[in-house]
Amino acid sequence: MARTTFAPVTDDALALFTDLYELTMMQGYVETGHTPEATFSLFFRDLPTDRGYVVAAGLEQAVHYLEHLTFTDAALDYLATQGFGDAVLDALADFDFSGDVRALPEGTVVFPDEPLLEVTAPIFEAQLFETLLINQVGFQSLVATKAARMREAVDRHGDDQTIVDFGSRRAHGTDAGLKAARAAYLGGVTGTSNVAAGRAFDIPVFGTMAHSWVQSFPTERAAFEAFVDVYGDESVLLVDTYDTVGGAETAAAVADERDVDIRGVRLDSGDLVALSKEVNDIVDCGIFVSSGLDEYAIADFLTDGGVATGFGPGTALVTSKDAPTLDPVYKLVAVERDGELAPTMKLSTGKVTYPGQKSVNRVERDGRFERDVLAARDESAPGEDQLVDVFEDGDLVYDLPGLDASRERARRQRERLPEGTRALRDPDPYPVDVGDGLASVTESLRADLAAEYTPE
């Protein structure tokens, strides 16, 4: 029996990273000749628990997908085994994105119902992108937001502690671990422990030692001496394998005997606040804290007087453990009628969408964000539109910023939000108004659709 091997998500595999019903509909479009122009909008309806905002992330990966999407012979052969006919397979073989994309730059704060991106293209093309765009943009935005909140927890105490992503081993797969490291850096962490992410995205990498290093030596002292002999001033010693205070004393003694200014010690268990205070009285170096950290634990640690120069969150960061999904959706909001794009919407209970192409206008006062106006794209509304042109007629027209630039944008955007919106618990809602033109189109279309489809 043939053995199944690990299959990385290559450019080839990305073409098939879609739900079957997308391809089913695409075959229907081809065989019926139904190929109108259409606009799909990617957004979320509600903020996750305790979130006052979301940080948009993942656009760079979305752009890569749209630029490199191709159906190889192997992919087409597989689809043929799933019952797809020659007409749609021929169309997929010649697939080349020809549409427009407008999107929020990575690092932009975003709120419910505001599009993170909009795709306008023949419906045969635009339909295909739903699964992967939701996957890339939704997940990275979720993790970037979690990271921004951890940075917020530190910033509120006026310090500049290092925050390192320790979570790749707890991520839901290798690709998720890499994308989480990228998104976390964008959102505000200092770096990652994952070497592959460091190489792939040019993110600073950090590492200390594991308990296994200490346990493998005859004594804790011998373990520290060996490590310091190799790494000198760069040494960070894990001091809680047996007894945290005793370990700190041993670390200080070894550093003194070796005449080395070690970079720090790490605490990974116990009453972190109390132990950090005791350890701080013993060592003359940084104190790095890990073990089950999230933004709430970091904030409480600092509020209670804990002493640390850095933190290593893991599981809670890369899975956004307290709110593990953003629930983004990709909905048809306009479709060609009589040669023109006409707004369309759903009336499903709890899932009503705003119709038509949109703008996200942000109103500022005294350098701070005051409110947003979600407007129809062609209406005049106060504020500056946050969406930028990314693709025009299938050509990339947006100069993607580097990850450091997007990270800096995320920091500036977060700092310009109202203080209450940035709160870690029970944040104040950020005002998002609906433009007069969009409100009018929405109500008119809702009435027309209700009249046509509601039983008498």
Side-chain angles (χ1 to χ4, degrees), residues 48-57 138-154 163 165 180 183-189 292-298 313-326 410 414 422-425:
T49 302
D50 274 343
R51 278 30 169 200
Y53 61 92
V54 163
V55 177
F139 174 67
Q140 288 200 56
S141 297
L142 193 71
V143 175
T145 305
K146 190 72 171 176
R149 288 164 57 78
M150 292 184 182
R151 179 54 64 187
E152 182 73 29
V154 167
I163 305 176
D165 154 42
Y185 183 69
L186 188 154
V189 307
L293 297 178
D294 61 11
E295 65 269 45
Y296 307 109
I298 292 172
T315 306
L317 173 60
V318 302
T319 66
S320 189
K321 188 174 181 180
D322 66 316
T325 180
L326 186 59
R414 176 174 57 83
R422 294 163 56 183
L424 300 181
R425 294 180 172 94

Side-chain angles (χ1 to χ4, degrees), residues 413-436:
Q413 290 258 314
R414 176 174 57 83
E415 291 178 349
R416 293 165 76 183
L417 285 169
E419 285 291 329
T421 302
R422 294 163 56 183
L424 300 181
R425 294 180 172 94
D426 299 320
D428 295 337
Y430 179 81
V432 178
D433 301 330
V434 177
D436 292 341

Side-chain angles (χ1 to χ4, degrees), residues 59-100:
L59 178 61
E60 183 175 302
Q61 281 65 48
V63 167
H64 178 92
Y65 169 61
L66 294 174
E67 278 197 302
H68 294 87
L69 177 63
T70 183
F71 286 84
T72 63
D73 290 343
L76 295 171
D77 288 345
Y78 172 75
L79 292 178
T81 69
Q82 300 303 303
F84 288 95
D86 289 343
V88 70
L89 294 178
D90 288 345
L92 292 174
D94 295 331
F95 192 95
D96 186 21
F97 180 59
S98 65
D100 301 337

Side-chain angles (χ1 to χ4, degrees), residues 213-233:
W213 172 275
V214 178
Q215 291 173 261
S216 71
F217 285 83
T219 66
E220 184 177 59
R221 174 179 284 269
F224 289 173
E225 288 173 343
F227 202 83
V228 168
D229 286 345
V230 175
Y231 295 105
D233 292 346

Side-chain angles (χ1 to χ4, degrees), residues 67-374:
E67 278 197 302
H68 294 87
L69 177 63
T70 183
F71 286 84
T72 63
D73 290 343
L76 295 171
D77 288 345
Y78 172 75
L79 292 178
T81 69
Q82 300 303 303
F84 288 95
D86 289 343
V88 70
L89 294 178
D90 288 345
L92 292 174
D94 295 331
F95 192 95
D96 186 21
F97 180 59
S98 65
D100 301 337
V101 175
R102 301 180 76 236
L104 295 177
E106 291 193 276
T108 304
V109 293
V110 58
F111 305 94
D113 295 317
E114 298 180 341
L116 287 90
L117 60 80
E118 288 192 334
V119 177
T120 300
I123 198 166
F124 173 83
E125 297 178 26
Q127 187 78 63
L128 177 63
F129 306 141
E130 177 177 9
T131 305
L132 192 129
L133 292 182
I134 287 176
N135 174 275
Q136 295 296 310
V137 174
F139 174 67
Q140 288 200 56
S141 297
L142 193 71
V143 175
T145 305
K146 190 72 171 176
R149 288 164 57 78
M150 292 184 182
R151 179 54 64 187
E152 182 73 29
V154 167
D155 288 352
R156 283 178 178 261
H157 289 81
D159 297 314
D160 188 30
Q161 281 96 338
T162 297
I163 305 176
V164 179
D165 154 42
F166 272 12
S168 56
R169 65 183 62 188
R170 303 287 172 77
H172 298 158
T174 52
D175 185 64
L178 291 173
K179 299 297 172 53
R182 178 187 186 276
Y185 183 69
L186 188 154
V189 307
T190 315
T192 181
S193 65
N194 189 279
V195 180
R199 180 191 180 200
F201 305 115
D202 197 22
I203 300 171
V205 291
F206 295 81
T208 59
M209 62 164 60
H211 292 109
S212 57
W213 172 275
V214 178
Q215 291 173 261
S216 71
F217 285 83
T219 66
E220 184 177 59
R221 174 179 284 269
F224 289 173
E225 288 173 343
F227 202 83
V228 168
D229 286 345
V230 175
Y231 295 105
D233 292 346
E234 294 301 308
S235 300
V236 179
L237 305 178
L238 181 58
V239 297
D240 71 337
T241 303
Y242 306 115
D243 176 80
T244 302
V245 174
E249 292 172 342
T250 300
V254 168
D256 184 60
E257 292 167 5
R258 293 294 201 270
D259 193 24
V260 170
D261 294 324
I262 63 173
R263 176 182 288 187
V265 296
R266 177 159 73 97
L267 314 183
D268 192 51
S269 60
D271 184 340
L272 296 175
V273 172
L275 289 170
S276 72
K277 294 177 182 179
E278 290 189 74
V279 169
N280 188 53
D281 291 335
I282 297 169
V283 300
D284 185 22
C285 61
I287 298 175
F288 194 83
V289 175
S290 52
S291 183
L293 297 178
D294 61 11
E295 65 269 45
Y296 307 109
I298 292 172
D300 291 344
F301 174 91
L302 294 171
T303 298
D304 293 342
V307 181
T309 54
F311 299 96
T315 306
L317 173 60
V318 302
T319 66
S320 189
K321 188 174 181 180
D322 66 316
T325 180
L326 186 59
D327 282 339
V329 294
Y330 183 80
K331 296 300 179 185
L332 181 68
V333 294
V335 65
E336 184 181 354
R337 312 279 192 206
D338 299 323
E340 295 185 359
L341 274 176
T344 185
M345 64 186 296
K346 292 172 56 176
L347 294 184
S348 309
T349 302
K351 295 186 176 182
V352 175
T353 56
Y354 285 106
Q357 297 178 329
K358 301 173 191 71
S359 63
V360 178
N361 287 37
R362 186 149 294 160
V363 179
E364 301 182 30
R365 176 177 293 182
D366 299 326
R368 304 295 290 268
F369 298 151
E370 182 179 69
R371 64 189 174 99
D372 283 5
V373 181
L374 179 63

Side-chain angles (χ1 to χ4, degrees), residues 383-394:
E384 181 179 351
D385 190 5
Q386 302 297 291
L387 294 166
V388 298
D389 293 325
V390 179
F391 283 90
E392 290 182 355
D393 298 326

